[in-house]
Amino acid sequence: MFDIGMTEMLVVGVVALIVVGPKDLPVMFRRVGQFVGKAKGMAREFTSAMNDAADQSGVREVTSGLNKSLKAATNPIGSAMDGVKDAASSLTNFDPKSETGKLSAERADNAARIQANSVRMAAERKAREAKEALEKADELEASLQEKLAQKKADT
């Protein structure tokens, strides 16, 4: 509340000790403490009364909107990202029975068919390449056998 440091408090304590005296000093500090407590209680009561009045009059909604606009003005990137997050969440929240839900289900089915077809075509291609590789290996073995047979015949 007040910006009083330890040195100022020490000076106030020494002055109070000299002016009031050591005998009456604890009583004075107790009364000062009671006064500060009452002042804090009144401030707390005033603050709660003002907050209640603000809630009843609708000022809170206005100030929250004002706070959002001030936040947007001071941090435009953050407010833009909030807008993007809101838009993204609205895109992901849809009813499965609506037209969007039906289209989404249809697209998921089409994607599954495309994936299955891609896997099938890849397997067929691998089988065809394996068959061609076997045929080529057979040809190479046959030509190697012919060469070996010619070498035997020549020797």
Side-chain angles (χ1 to χ4, degrees):
M1 191 160 108
F2 299 110
D3 192 21
I4 299 176
M6 282 303 292
T7 55
E8 289 91 359
M9 292 294 286
L10 185 63
V11 170
V12 168
V14 169
V15 170
L17 181 64
I18 293 171
V19 172
V20 176
K23 197 179 201 183
D24 296 327
L25 195 62
V27 174
M28 186 194 76
F29 279 144
R30 185 179 314 116
R31 288 201 178 150
V32 167
Q34 289 173 348
F35 174 75
V36 169
K38 285 181 183 178
K40 283 185 177 181
M42 288 171 47
R44 201 171 23 253
E45 184 179 326
F46 178 76
T47 302
S48 68
M50 292 307 277
N51 285 339
D52 290 343
D55 286 342
Q56 290 175 358
S57 66
V59 171
R60 234 180 252 208
E61 288 83 20
V62 172
T63 57
S64 69
L66 182 62
N67 285 339
K68 286 181 183 177
S69 64
L70 285 175
K71 179 184 172 190
T74 58
N75 188 4
I77 294 173
S79 63
M81 290 306 294
D82 289 342
V84 170
K85 287 178 186 174
D86 291 342
S89 68
S90 69
L91 290 176
T92 58
N93 298 333
F94 62 90
D95 183 20
K97 295 181 181 178
S98 68
E99 289 298 317
T100 306
K102 292 174 186 175
L103 286 173
S104 176
E106 184 180 333
R107 287 183 182 143
D109 290 342
N110 288 340
R113 286 186 197 131
I114 290 170
Q115 186 177 11
N117 193 22
S118 298
V119 169
R120 181 178 299 111
M121 290 179 71
E124 289 173 357
R125 180 181 49 98
K126 286 181 182 180
R128 185 179 67 245
E129 288 174 353
K131 183 180 175 185
E132 290 172 359
L134 282 174
E135 289 174 357
K136 185 160 185 143
D138 288 341
E139 288 175 11
L140 288 174
E141 283 180 358
S143 67
L144 183 62
Q145 291 293 335
E146 288 176 12
K147 286 181 183 178
L148 285 175
Q150 257 183 355
K151 267 191 176 182
K152 280 186 180 181
D154 289 339
T155 53

